[in-house]
C-alpha cells in the first residue's frame, strides 16, 4: 500500500493561489511514490456548499491520522500550523520542503509503507446494473 502524505498550507487568505501552490507539489509527490492529500482542493467544495472553518479542521484532523507524513507548504496559515502540531502528537514526520520528502519506497515496512506502483482497475458491475453514460439515473 502506498503511503498518504498530507499537504498543509495556506487556504483561507488566497483560495485560488493556494490551489496552484498545492498543485505544484502534487505530481512530484506522486513521482516519489506518495499519494498526496491536498486539503486545498476543498476550495471547490467550499464554493458549492460552504462548510464552517472548524468543521474543515475537524475533517483534516480526522484524515491526518491516516497519513504517513506531512509536507508543510510556505505561507502564513494558523490552520496549517495546527495541522503540523497535530502531526507531531501523532509522531508523523513533517517536511518543510519538497526536496526533503523521501522516496516513499524507502520507508520502513509496516502499516505506513509503500509498495510497487498499483494499477487502477475499473470494477465490473453485474450486467443488470450497467448503464450507458447517456442514460438518466
Amino acid at each position: 500500500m502506498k503511503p498518504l502524505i498530507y499537504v498543509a498550507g495556506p487556504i483561507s487568505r488566497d483560495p485560488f493561489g493556494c490551489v496552484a501552490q498545492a498543485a505544484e507539489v502534487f505530481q512530484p509527490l506522486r513521482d516519489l511514490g506518495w499519494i498526496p492529500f491536498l486539503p486545498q482542493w476543498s476550495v471547490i467544495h467550499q464554493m458549492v456548499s460552504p462548510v464552517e472553518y472548524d468543521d474543515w479542521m475537524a475533517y483534516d484532523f480526522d484524515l491526518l491520522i491516516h497519513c504517513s507524513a506531512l509536507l508543510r507548504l510556505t505561507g502564513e496559515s494558523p490552520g496549517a500550523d495546527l495541522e503540523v502540531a497535530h502531526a507531531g502528537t501523532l509522531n508523523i514526520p513533517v517536511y518543510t520542503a519538497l526536496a526533503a520528502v523521501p522516496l516513499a519506497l524507502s520507508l520502513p515496512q509496516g502499516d505506513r509503507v509503500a509498495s510497487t506502483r498499483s494499477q487502477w482497475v475499473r470494477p465490473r458491475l453485474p450486467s443488470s446494473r450497467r448503464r450507458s453514460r447517456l442514460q438518466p439515473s
Side-chain angles (χ1 to χ4, degrees):
M1 181 166 67
K2 291 183 180 184
L4 187 64
I5 186 167
Y6 189 95
V7 179
I11 297 176
S12 302
R13 292 194 177 135
D14 181 11
F16 298 107
C18 79
V19 170
Q21 181 188 28
E24 288 178 11
V25 300
F26 180 82
Q27 192 57 51
L29 289 169
R30 295 273 300 144
D31 293 344
L32 289 169
W34 294 91
I35 298 174
F37 174 75
L38 282 64
Q40 296 80 358
W41 290 352
S42 65
V43 167
I44 296 166
H45 184 283
Q46 191 69 13
M47 289 177 1
V48 176
S49 181
V51 175
E52 293 294 322
Y53 177 83
D54 289 341
D55 292 332
W56 277 124
M57 290 303 298
Y59 171 78
D60 292 343
F61 274 38
D62 287 343
L63 193 117
L64 190 54
I65 63 172
H66 300 284
C67 295
S68 298
L70 181 146
L71 172 61
R72 173 60 161 96
L73 300 178
T74 59
E76 184 180 332
S77 173
D81 293 342
L82 289 172
E83 292 160 349
V84 167
H86 188 57
T89 67
L90 298 170
N91 295 317
I92 295 172
V94 174
Y95 302 98
T96 56
L98 180 62
V101 177
L103 277 172
L105 297 175
S106 67
L107 295 175
Q109 297 297 311
D111 289 339
R112 297 179 174 200
V113 77
S115 65
T116 58
R117 184 175 177 94
S118 60
Q119 295 293 324
W120 182 80
V121 177
R122 182 183 301 276
R124 301 267 315 158
L125 292 174
S127 60
S128 62
R129 296 197 52 206
R130 288 187 206 144
R131 59 186 155 108
S132 162
R133 286 185 172 210
L134 302 177
Q135 288 178 321
S137 342

